[in-house]
Amino acid sequence: MKLVCNQSDLNTHLSLVSRAVPSRPNQPILANILLTADAAAQRVSLAAFDLTLGIQSSFAAQVETSGAITLPAKLLTDIVSRLSSDSPITLEETEPGTAVTLLASSGKYQVRGIGPDEFPELPLAQAGEAIHLPTEALMEGLRGTLFSTSADETKQVLTGVHLKVAPENLEFAATDGHRLAVVETPSQDEGATTAAPPEAFEVTVPARALRDLERIVSAGTSAEPLALYFDQGQTVFQWGDQYLTSRTLDGQYPNYGQLIPKSFDRQLTLDRRLFLSSLERVAVLADQKNSVVKLTIDSAGQQVMLSADAQDVGSGQESMPAQVTGDDLEIAFNVRYLMDGLKALNAAEIQMQLNTATSPVVVTPLGALKMTYLVMPVQVRS
């Protein structure tokens, strides 16, 4: 195997696939990246796989001789990232399947590896028809839900985003038991006629895999749809020459639709940025003790007062205008939950709908984004 490539290309794709290299591999081969050179296609492919999450990416290079080898991910990345971006890199296999030499303008490095036969095969076989998802719709759904997934591994199904695919729309949902985020987007780009509407199905994908997918799409420039394949507990996302494969999460996802109240006694309309800024200031004190912020809704004054009290430290209080419908109410929240939701609700104004100080509160954006954010209040002793 022998190839010549740009340092920037190799470094970018190494950084990308390295996200699937486990920090504590239970097999030595999993600490390596599979590098494959194809002389016919004049491309280099990199792949990493921790047996749950796999990432594969390829780029154009001058390939003189085809071949494959696995190399230590961290060592290879540390070397390549420190080489000059102006210098091409020549990578040549010096011992078949066991060592390569990297030649750059600044010097020469030898890296020992392991033969490719020991590397586990990525489950990239695309069974059945692909479902094509608009990249903007996918990003909108992930931005609006990933923050609400649970970090508690004992409730594994809640550590992922539940995706419902229907002919007309996509629905993304995530909950950690204290809050729920649901985003609805079109399942096809407006005016698209090339692909048939997708058939309905549901799947729960780990948040870790979807965060990496979000990074892949964010770093790219292509507007082409992303292909999703789903088969036997495995999802494969394909975007151009990049693949991300992940196991799905087992278990019945909660019927979250029944958690959202159908009617409300009170309603507030607030400037999102102003509300978020006030919360961020009050949060400085809320974080000193219990992260609780209290909202006092004043119907007569058409305003909301935010307050936090950290005993033996201090207290803070701010008020802001609001369009209030319904009676006055005092209600408390985990300030982080409110702030997370407001950051994801991409609109100038938001609407809060609520009933009592102990029942779920629903926050929605006033605009094109179809997002529902439900957050449970915190009970505070008087």
Side-chain angles (χ1 to χ4, degrees), residues 301-322:
Q302 290 290 292
Q303 66 176 1
V304 173
M305 186 173 74
L306 292 70
S307 60
D309 186 6
Q311 195 171 2
D312 302 326
V313 177
S315 62
Q317 182 177 303
E318 290 204 16
S319 61
M320 62 172 290

Side-chain angles (χ1 to χ4, degrees), residues 16-314:
L16 177 67
V17 301
S18 290
R19 304 195 66 83
V21 177
S23 56
R24 294 179 179 176
N26 53 20
Q27 301 174 34
I29 192 70
L30 299 182
N32 285 15
I33 283 175
L34 174 65
L35 186 150
T36 306
D38 186 340
Q42 290 292 291
R43 295 191 74 80
V44 172
S45 170
L46 302 175
F49 188 30
D50 67 3
L51 303 182
T52 298
L53 172 70
I55 302 176
Q56 178 178 300
S57 187
S58 68
F59 58 95
Q62 300 173 37
V63 181
E64 294 184 23
T65 312
S66 298
I69 190 173
T70 77
L71 299 168
K74 187 177 187 309
L75 177 62
L76 185 62
T77 302
D78 286 347
I79 293 171
V80 172
S81 65
R82 288 165 173 79
L83 296 174
S84 170
S85 59
D86 300 328
S87 171
I89 294 174
T90 300
L91 191 148
E92 184 173 7
E93 201 170 23
T94 51
E95 298 175 34
T98 59
V100 297
T101 296
L102 272 75
L103 184 64
S105 59
S106 56
K108 181 171 67 173
Y109 298 85
Q110 188 175 69
V111 180
R112 304 200 69 82
I114 303 174
D117 294 343
E118 293 186 37
F119 196 82
E121 184 177 354
L122 267 71
L124 295 180
Q126 294 89 6
E129 291 294 320
I131 294 166
H132 294 279
L133 309 178
T135 51
E136 186 51 44
L138 177 78
M139 293 297 284
E140 198 172 81
L142 295 182
R143 282 193 296 262
T145 55
L146 273 171
F147 71 94
S148 279
T149 56
S150 175
D152 185 357
E153 292 294 334
T154 62
K155 303 174 183 176
Q156 200 173 61
V157 73
L158 300 186
T159 64
V161 172
H162 191 68
L163 174 62
K164 286 185 180 179
V165 178
E168 299 300 325
N169 59 63
L170 307 172
E171 187 172 278
F172 302 78
T175 180
D176 61 5
H178 303 285
R179 55 188 174 170
L180 164 70
V182 182
V183 177
E184 187 180 310
T185 70
S187 60
Q188 290 186 305
D189 284 322
E190 192 174 336
T193 57
T194 54
E199 293 185 11
F201 79 96
E202 300 180 28
V203 64
T204 307
V205 184
R208 178 196 167 198
L210 292 174
R211 288 191 181 98
D212 287 333
L213 181 66
E214 187 180 34
R215 290 185 182 95
I216 289 171
V217 177
S218 296
T221 56
S222 173
E224 68 176 287
L226 185 142
L228 167 62
Y229 301 86
F230 170 64
D231 183 53
Q232 296 181 343
Q234 198 78 31
T235 51
V236 177
F237 297 91
Q238 179 187 359
W239 196 50
D241 294 318
Q242 296 171 330
Y243 294 82
L244 184 145
T245 177
S246 172
R247 289 181 185 171
T248 58
L249 293 173
D250 296 328
Q252 183 68 38
Y253 202 79
N255 183 5
Y256 53 85
Q258 68 182 11
L259 302 176
I260 303 171
K262 301 297 185 287
S263 61
F264 300 91
D265 298 329
R266 298 170 175 83
Q267 181 175 293
L268 313 177
T269 301
L270 300 156
D271 181 289
R272 184 184 69 91
R273 289 185 181 275
L274 186 60
F275 190 23
L276 180 57
S277 297
S278 295
L279 283 171
E280 286 173 337
R281 289 188 290 271
V282 173
V284 174
L285 279 156
D287 285 345
Q288 296 293 319
K289 188 177 180 185
N290 52 15
S291 297
V292 171
V293 62
K294 187 184 293 183
L295 270 60
T296 304
I297 300 167
D298 179 0
S299 179
Q302 290 290 292
Q303 66 176 1
V304 173
M305 186 173 74
L306 292 70
S307 60
D309 186 6
Q311 195 171 2
D312 302 326
V313 177

